[in-house]
């Protein structure tokens, strides 16, 4: 059994395309929607037009990670074999899930190739953060020798196929991350526990963020998230953690000069905010190194 988890917040511009792509998929799944207190009628619309959806309307915005954790818990309680994460502004190609399942080993994280909303090019974040680092993939495609599967580094969680064994080993998203950064932290944990990430380039999904992406939300407290990545990374020794903090400091001042976005002293301010969560971060790291359905 496959459960597709979709977190919604004011999802009306995309929900029809997103859910319709699941009905058109060659492999069917049970859609589980966790709505983060939408104000645009998303919940009522889904109830009326998609009665098959398992719907969890929330009274407040839980953030992306914690809302997904509600879906993870439901999937575990209902004997799921796989969980498919799918953003509200994303849609599957009809054979994408089938191709992912054909390659899955039942223990690793698998992702389709993320395209932009209309499928005319590769999603720009995936292109910069994932494809640019997968030199073997680039070489193979340029030489017209593509393979069916490639081991890669981290890739954004707009569409992940996750076997339930992964949830039982690593758990859900870390609650220290409210919106943005949850998937980066999850990749840190995958790396620590030796669980690889694979890309199936023939499997396609479409992510409509170039037109409707919320850059204001992405940029909000960017520096704090960078510091939190370092603080929660269970792969870092103390010396590497200090070096990483220094790199973030340098990046902060580059942004200050280039974008005039950050002012001198903001680094110290956000470091103080980080220290105020010191105990929670220590607990977080202990949870993340422990095998089990943590955060669920």
């Amino acid at each position: 059994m496959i459960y597709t988890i979709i977190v919604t917040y004011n999802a009306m511009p995309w929900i029809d395309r997103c859910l319709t792509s699941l009905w058109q998929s060659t492999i069917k799944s049970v859609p589980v929607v966790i709505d983060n207190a939408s104000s645009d009628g998303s919940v009522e619309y889904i109830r009326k037009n998609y009665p098959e959806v398992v719907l969890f309307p929330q009274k407040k915005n839980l953030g992306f990670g914690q809302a997904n954790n509600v879906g993870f818990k439901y999937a575990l309680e209902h004997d799921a074999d796989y969980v498919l994460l799918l953003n509200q502004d994303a849609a599957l190609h009809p054979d994408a899930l089938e191709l992912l399942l054909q390659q899955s080993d039942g223990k690793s994280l698998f992702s389709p190739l993320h395209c932009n909303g209309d499928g005319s090019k590769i999603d720009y974040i995936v292109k910069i953060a994932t494809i640019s680092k997968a030199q073997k993939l680039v070489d193979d495609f340029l030489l017209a020798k593509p393979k069916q599967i490639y081991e890669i580094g981290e890739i954004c969680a707009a569409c992940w196929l996750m076997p339930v064994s992964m949830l039982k080993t690593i758990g859900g998203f870390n609650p220290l991350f409210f919106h943005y950064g949850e998937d980066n932290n999850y990749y840190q944990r995958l790396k620590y526990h030796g669980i690889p990430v694979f890309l199936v380039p023939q499997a396609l999904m479409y992510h409509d963020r170039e037109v409707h992406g919320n850059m204001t939300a992405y940029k909000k407290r960017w520096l704090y998230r960078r510091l939190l990545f370092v603080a929660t990374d269970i792969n870092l020794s103390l010396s590497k953690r200090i070096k990483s903090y220094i790199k973030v400091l340098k990046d902060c001042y580059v942004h200050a000069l280039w974008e005039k976005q950050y002012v001198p002293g903001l680094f110290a301010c956000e470091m103080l905010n980080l220290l105020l969560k010191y105990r929670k971060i220590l607990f977080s790291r202990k949870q993340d190194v422990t095998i089990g359905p943590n955060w669920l």
Side-chain angles (χ1 to χ4, degrees):
M1 182 68 73
I2 304 169
Y3 290 85
T4 296
I5 300 175
I6 304 166
V7 174
T8 55
Y9 178 74
N10 293 341
M12 290 304 295
W14 311 282
I15 197 62
D16 281 324
R17 186 187 188 199
C18 180
L19 290 176
T20 298
S21 77
L22 296 182
W23 309 146
Q24 294 174 343
S25 174
T26 57
I27 299 292
K28 305 306 178 188
S29 61
V30 178
V32 180
V33 172
I34 301 89
D35 185 81
N36 270 333
S38 293
S39 59
D40 68 344
S42 292
V43 171
E44 294 77 12
Y45 183 82
I46 293 170
R47 278 181 176 151
K48 180 180 179 180
N49 295 281
Y50 300 96
E52 305 88 352
V53 168
V54 179
L55 183 61
F56 290 95
Q58 304 299 306
K59 294 182 179 180
K60 66 176 183 178
N61 191 335
L62 301 180
F64 179 79
Q66 294 314 290
N68 270 301
N69 285 354
V70 173
F72 287 154
K73 186 175 180 181
Y74 179 86
L76 285 174
E77 291 172 349
H78 289 78
D79 300 319
D81 298 301
Y82 286 92
V83 166
L84 179 73
L85 290 193
L86 188 64
N87 271 24
Q88 67 174 13
D89 58 354
L92 292 176
H93 188 278
D95 65 359
L97 183 52
E98 182 177 359
L99 291 170
L100 290 171
L101 288 169
Q102 287 174 359
Q103 298 301 325
S104 176
D105 57 7
K107 58 184 179 181
S108 305
L109 189 151
F110 280 75
S111 171
L113 183 62
H114 297 210
C115 303
N116 67 345
D118 63 13
S120 61
K121 54 186 176 181
I122 306 301
D123 174 84
Y124 69 96
I125 294 294
V126 170
K127 188 185 302 182
I128 294 170
T130 304
I131 302 299
S132 65
K133 298 176 183 177
Q135 192 57 55
K136 180 60 177 172
L137 184 153
V138 175
D139 288 344
D140 285 353
F141 271 80
L142 289 175
L143 295 171
K145 299 178 181 178
K147 295 182 176 61
Q148 292 182 320
I149 183 174
Y150 289 87
E151 184 170 356
I152 55 172
E154 63 181 299
I155 188 167
C156 68
C159 188
W160 281 359
L161 181 65
M162 309 170 71
V164 163
S165 63
M166 180 184 298
L167 295 179
K168 292 179 178 179
T169 299
I170 295 181
F173 288 110
N174 189 322
L176 287 175
F177 295 88
F178 178 76
H179 189 52
Y180 290 114
E182 303 91 344
D183 46 0
N184 303 89
N185 172 262
Y186 205 86
Y187 174 71
Q188 292 171 350
R189 292 152 60 194
L190 288 170
K191 184 177 179 181
Y192 178 86
H193 289 284
I195 298 177
V197 179
F198 291 98
L199 176 70
V200 181
Q202 287 80 18
L204 303 178
M205 60 83 72
Y206 310 102
H207 191 185
D208 182 29
R209 64 168 152 196
E210 286 190 350
V211 177
H212 294 99
N214 191 339
M215 288 304 296
T216 300
Y218 178 77
K219 290 180 179 180
K220 186 177 181 181
R221 299 203 72 183
W222 169 87
L223 176 58
Y224 178 77
R225 287 202 310 274
R226 284 285 304 275
L227 293 170
L228 190 58
F229 293 156
V230 177
T232 56
D233 191 343
I234 53 179
N235 300 286
L236 296 179
S237 63
L238 178 60
S239 61
K240 289 183 178 179
R241 202 178 303 279
I242 292 172
K243 289 179 181 178
S244 295
Y245 282 134
I246 293 172
K247 184 180 185 304
V248 175
L249 174 59
K250 291 178 180 178
D251 290 346
C252 171
Y253 281 96
V254 168
H255 273 75
L257 294 172
W258 185 255
E259 297 187 5
K260 299 180 180 179
Q261 185 178 357
Y262 302 111
V263 296
L266 181 59
F267 181 88
C269 179
E270 295 291 31
M271 278 297 290
L272 177 60
N273 288 328
L274 201 69
L275 288 171
L276 292 174
K277 291 190 175 181
Y278 181 69
R279 290 185 178 180
K280 289 184 178 180
I281 290 169
L282 284 182
F283 176 75
S284 160
R285 293 209 296 255
K286 289 179 181 178
Q287 284 283 93
D288 287 348
V289 300
T290 304
I291 294 177
N294 301 308
W295 310 121
L296 302 178

